[in-house]
């Protein structure tokens, strides 16, 4: 009913369906509050905010089940084949990393917990996104809302992705996909691997670079790993290019509303990736 053209009590037509959809898209793309475009779309500030809330809610109801699901065994088979073709190594599931977004209007009582520890000069609160992305920039895991005071290792301890690795959920899927075991240089591996940076622990599934390679083989491996790990960095960059709100200071106070907005970002991003083929 919100997206139906209506006539008010004075007999004037209200904001059109197109305006109610385009306003949140422009607001998210330019990283500005909804009231920025109220004059352009000829609507009130309250209606502009309501447009954003309904846009997020509608996208979640329509597409969350399809686009925010866990990968199936067939998905894992396709992912590993893609990475074997692009990176030349079998058994790669994706790249894991985190991204910080400044939170300008973080409540005063929470700022001590949300101040980013890696930026000692600015000392500004931030929210953290943890994600696993493949070569096509499709996010197979995305968890948002962690406090900026946590580093990547702390976030991993709270991550549902790690939980799926530990409780056997992910192992069952990779077994059903029949992509394990696989061999690299004659050595048999029974688990799919994920590209990570140096802060992550030396788990059997995590492939880290060699910070100070000595031999030619180590140098070649370090270069390959760092190139392959850029998949998730490209995905973050693409998401930020589409939606400036992901890299500009967040103006909202409510964490639930912020999470709904970021969910909308992921849904639209995945629709674009799927449409690109």
């Amino acid at each position: 009913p919100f997206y139906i053209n209506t006539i008010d009590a004075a007999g004037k037509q209200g904001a059109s369906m197109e305006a109610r959809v385009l306003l949140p898209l422009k607001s998210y793309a330019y990283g500005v509050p909804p009231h920025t475009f109220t004059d352009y779309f000829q609507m009130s500030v309250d209606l502009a905010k309501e447009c954003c809330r309904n846009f997020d809610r509608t996208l979640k109801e329509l597409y969350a089940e399809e686009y925010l699901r866990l990968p199936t065994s067939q998905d894992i088979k396709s992912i590993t084949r893609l990475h074997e073709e692009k990176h030349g190594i079998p058994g790669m599931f994706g790249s894991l990393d985190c991204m910080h977004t400044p939170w300008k209007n973080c409540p005063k009582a929470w700022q001590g917990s949300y101040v980013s520890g890696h930026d000692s000069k600015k000392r500004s609160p931030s929210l953290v996104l943890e994600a696993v992305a493949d070569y096509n920039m499709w996010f197979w895991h995305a968890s948002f809302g962690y406090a900026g005071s946590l580093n990547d290792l702390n976030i991993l301890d709270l991550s549902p992705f790690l939980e799926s690795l530990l409780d056997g959920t992910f192992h069952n899927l990779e077994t059903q996909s029949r992509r394990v075991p696989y061999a690299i240089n004659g050595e048999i591996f029974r688990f799919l691997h994920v590209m990570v940076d140096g802060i992550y622990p030396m788990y059997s599934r995590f492939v880290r670079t060699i910070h100070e390679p000595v031999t030619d083989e180590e140098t070649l491996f370090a270069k390959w790993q760092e190139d392959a790990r850029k998949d998730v960095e490209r995905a973050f960059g693409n998401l930020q290019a589409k939606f400036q709100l992901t890299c500009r200071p967040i103006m909202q106070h409510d964490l639930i509303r912020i999470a709904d907005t970021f969910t909308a970002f992921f849904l639209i991003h995945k629709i674009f990736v799927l449409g690109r083929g």
Side-chain angles (χ1 to χ4, degrees):
F2 182 78
Y3 293 103
I4 296 176
N5 294 332
T6 58
I7 305 296
D8 62 15
K12 297 181 180 179
Q13 183 174 352
S16 65
M17 181 192 71
E18 291 81 2
R20 299 183 185 210
V21 173
L22 288 174
L23 184 141
L25 284 175
K26 287 179 71 70
S27 174
Y28 297 159
Y30 288 100
V32 294
H35 63 74
T36 306
F37 299 106
T38 52
D39 291 340
Y40 182 85
F41 289 104
Q42 294 295 296
M43 64 175 66
S44 66
V45 175
D46 290 339
L47 181 57
K49 294 179 179 178
E50 188 66 21
C51 286
C52 291
R53 284 193 292 267
N54 279 276
F55 183 80
D56 298 343
R57 188 182 307 117
T58 303
L59 271 181
K60 193 173 180 179
E61 291 176 356
L62 291 176
Y63 299 112
E65 184 176 353
E66 178 180 359
Y67 288 99
L68 297 183
R69 60 176 174 79
L70 294 174
T72 64
S73 57
Q74 188 61 41
D75 291 330
I76 292 178
K77 185 181 296 186
S78 302
I79 296 166
T80 52
R81 285 176 177 171
L82 169 69
H83 290 148
E84 186 172 1
E85 176 186 349
K86 298 299 182 180
H87 296 306
I89 295 294
M92 177 180 170
F93 176 67
S95 304
L96 172 67
D97 205 358
C98 293
M99 178 185 81
H100 287 252
T101 301
W103 189 10
K104 181 178 180 180
N105 288 337
C106 174
K108 286 287 185 181
W110 295 0
Q111 289 190 6
S113 299
Y114 283 84
V115 167
S116 176
H118 75 287
D119 191 352
S120 58
K121 294 181 179 179
K122 295 183 179 179
R123 301 296 293 175
S124 59
S126 63
L127 295 170
V128 186
L129 163 69
E130 182 197 55
V132 175
D134 63 16
Y135 179 84
N136 288 334
M137 296 185 292
W138 183 280
F139 290 101
W140 289 106
H141 158 72
S143 184
F144 176 75
Y146 299 103
S149 58
L150 302 176
N151 60 26
D152 294 6
L153 188 57
N154 302 140
I155 292 171
L156 178 67
D157 293 336
L158 305 173
S159 171
F161 178 67
L162 180 63
E163 183 178 355
S164 69
L165 297 179
L166 296 178
D167 65 12
T169 303
F170 189 82
H171 181 62
N172 292 336
L173 293 174
E174 65 184 359
T175 302
Q176 293 170 12
S177 70
R178 299 184 179 179
R179 298 295 291 176
V180 291
Y182 55 93
I184 299 178
N185 289 338
E187 185 175 352
I188 302 299
F189 296 88
R190 302 188 181 278
F191 302 103
L192 298 180
H193 56 266
V194 179
M195 299 294 163
V196 296
D197 57 21
I199 193 174
Y200 287 94
M202 297 182 65
Y203 292 163
S204 59
R205 290 185 181 272
F206 291 171
V207 178
R208 307 193 307 175
T209 188
I210 300 174
H211 291 292
E212 297 181 0
V214 177
T215 64
D216 292 341
E217 290 80 4
E218 291 179 349
T219 303
L220 182 63
F221 172 81
K223 183 179 183 302
W224 170 81
Q225 195 274 348
E226 291 165 8
D227 288 345
R229 194 178 64 81
K230 293 302 179 183
D231 290 350
V232 68
E233 301 289 351
R234 287 192 301 110
F236 286 153
N238 189 269
L239 187 70
Q240 291 176 333
K242 287 190 182 83
F243 305 106
Q244 289 290 305
L245 204 61
T246 58
C247 53
R248 293 190 178 184
I250 299 172
M251 300 295 183
Q252 298 177 12
H253 295 82
D254 188 356
L255 267 177
I256 296 178
R257 279 287 303 119
I258 296 172
D260 288 343
T261 301
F262 270 72
T263 300
F265 295 162
F266 281 111
L267 291 172
I268 299 172
H269 171 82
K270 288 188 172 186
I271 292 171
F272 284 170
V273 171
L274 190 63
R276 188 185 59 197

